Amino acid sequence: MNIIDWNRPNLFVVPAADEVTVDKTLAGISSAYNNTSARTARTAEIRVLGTPKWLRYNALDKNLYFKLGVCFVSSYHADRTDARVRKFDSRYVAAYGEMPSLYSYKGYDVTKSFVKALFTPGSSFDDRLNCNSGELLQVPYRYVQTQPGGSHLNGEWVVVEYSPAYTISVK
């Protein structure tokens, strides 16, 4: 049985949560594609839908992300080509001697978001909570209240896509 459809784009949904399973699955998809492609001299578009948790795995071959068109939906992602992120990175490296993690960006954004909301005049904290567009390092925060008097969650999401051209896009 051929798992690659050569006539249309292929999407593999990989909800695996542990590094070993993700590694084996990505290697398996890549191997199946390579073997079949070599025998038939055909190419096909491949996309793999994963989870942002994969970014925390250190042993995965990141080349497979690009080769297989890995994408994931996330409420956080820092574009390291953005001028604000590059400035933050250089200040962070000067202070700590290493590149910031995604948690560093998130901490900066959440702090900036909440502190600005605290000191911005307005009728209620809820109204002031969403006043940070364009100033944050990661995905904008658009807080929505889960229920009256309940907690607030970030309702903004992006799709992060790796392409075979070794580019990463955020949509």
Side-chain angles (χ1 to χ4, degrees):
M1 177 175 112
N2 192 0
I3 65 169
I4 308 293
D5 186 331
W6 301 98
N7 299 314
R8 61 186 175 136
N10 295 266
L11 175 65
F12 296 91
V13 179
V14 183
D18 67 278
E19 189 168 7
V20 172
T21 304
V22 172
D23 186 45
K24 287 180 181 179
T25 304
L26 293 181
I29 294 169
S30 178
S31 178
Y33 179 80
N34 290 343
N35 291 338
T36 308
S37 180
R39 285 193 313 269
T40 62
R42 297 171 78 181
T43 60
E45 182 182 341
I46 294 180
R47 307 285 302 160
V48 174
L49 177 62
T51 72
K53 185 177 183 179
W54 294 6
L55 294 174
R56 291 180 255 160
Y57 299 151
N58 295 321
L60 293 179
D61 179 0
K62 301 298 191 275
N63 288 311
L64 288 177
Y65 284 23
F66 295 101
K67 178 182 178 186
L68 299 176
V70 168
C71 59
F72 53 86
V73 177
S74 180
S75 63
Y76 59 91
H77 185 78
D79 177 1
R80 293 199 169 171
T81 64
D82 181 89
R84 288 177 316 228
V85 175
R86 284 196 319 264
K87 182 179 177 183
F88 178 85
D89 286 352
S90 66
R91 290 177 24 220
Y92 191 97
V93 169
Y96 301 106
E98 63 186 24
M99 287 297 288
S101 69
L102 287 176
Y103 293 113
S104 303
Y105 301 121
K106 184 177 275 193
Y108 174 88
D109 285 353
V110 169
T111 301
K112 186 159 181 86
S113 207
F114 280 96
V115 169
K116 184 171 183 178
L118 286 171
F119 292 102
T120 300
S123 58
S124 75
F125 185 70
D126 291 353
D127 295 336
R128 298 174 294 187
L129 203 50
N130 289 313
C131 60
N132 287 298
S133 63
E135 299 177 22
L136 304 178
L137 299 175
Q138 296 189 74
V139 174
Y141 282 83
R142 185 180 48 83
Y143 294 103
V144 291
Q145 195 168 23
T146 57
Q147 59 187 359
S151 61
H152 290 78
L153 297 174
N154 183 16
E156 193 71 32
W157 295 86
V158 296
V159 176
V160 179
E161 297 179 333
Y162 291 75
S163 81
Y166 280 83
T167 59
I168 302 171
S169 63
V170 180
K171 299 175 184 177

